């Protein structure tokens, strides 16, 4: 049995914006909205109005016209609120439903599923 190298999500995710640009839905809760507000120095209601919508099921972050998360910098492929990103982002893909499509596109999902060494 091969031992996997000590790889972090940041290592595998560097330069990849698949989850932020392609999945389209990032659920948020009141705690997430409050954290984003503190980070952006905005009030809860202002953050909710500017960056959050109700999709019929729950609260999600708005998307840009290209479908990417509202907080994704499309040039750098980096999250503008990484330090306070929502819980759903922090636990992706560990808590996400791992599908074949996700495994094809996400290095971290493959690594977590023991299908990739992270190299």
């Amino acid at each position: 049995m091969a031992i996997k190298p000590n790889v972090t999500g940041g290592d595998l995710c560097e330069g990849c914006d698949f989850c932020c640009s392609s999945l389209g839905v990032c659920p948020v809760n009141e705690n997430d909205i409050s954290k984003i507000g503190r980070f952006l120095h905005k009030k809860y209601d202002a953050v909710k109005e500017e960056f959050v919508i109700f999709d019929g099921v729950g609260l999600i972050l708005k998307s840009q016209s290209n479908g990417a998360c509202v907080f994704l910098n499309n040039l750098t492929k980096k999250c503008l609120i990484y330090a306070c990103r929502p819980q759903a982002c922090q636990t992706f893909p560990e808590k996400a439903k791992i599908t074949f499509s996700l495994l094809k596109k996400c290095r971290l999902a493959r690594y977590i599923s023991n299908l990739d060494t992270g190299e």
Side-chain angles (χ1 to χ4, degrees), residues 11-80:
D11 295 333
L12 293 171
C13 297
E14 187 68 34
C16 177
D17 66 348
F18 168 72
C19 58
C20 303
S21 65
S22 302
L23 296 182
V25 176
C26 179
V28 291
N29 58 40
E30 291 182 4
N31 186 48
D32 293 327
I33 296 168
S34 294
K35 286 190 321 184
I36 293 168
R38 286 191 299 276
F39 184 78
L40 297 176
H41 305 288
K42 294 183 178 238
K43 293 185 179 187
Y44 177 93
D45 290 337
V47 170
K48 194 170 177 181
E49 183 177 322
E50 189 173 350
F51 302 112
V52 177
I53 60 171
F54 179 73
D55 71 348
V57 177
L59 298 175
I60 62 170
L61 290 179
K62 290 182 179 178
S63 296
Q64 299 177 43
S65 60
N66 64 2
C69 174
V70 67
F71 291 114
L72 178 68
N73 179 315
N74 291 301
L75 296 175
T76 64
K77 296 185 177 185
K78 296 203 183 261
C79 177
L80 298 172

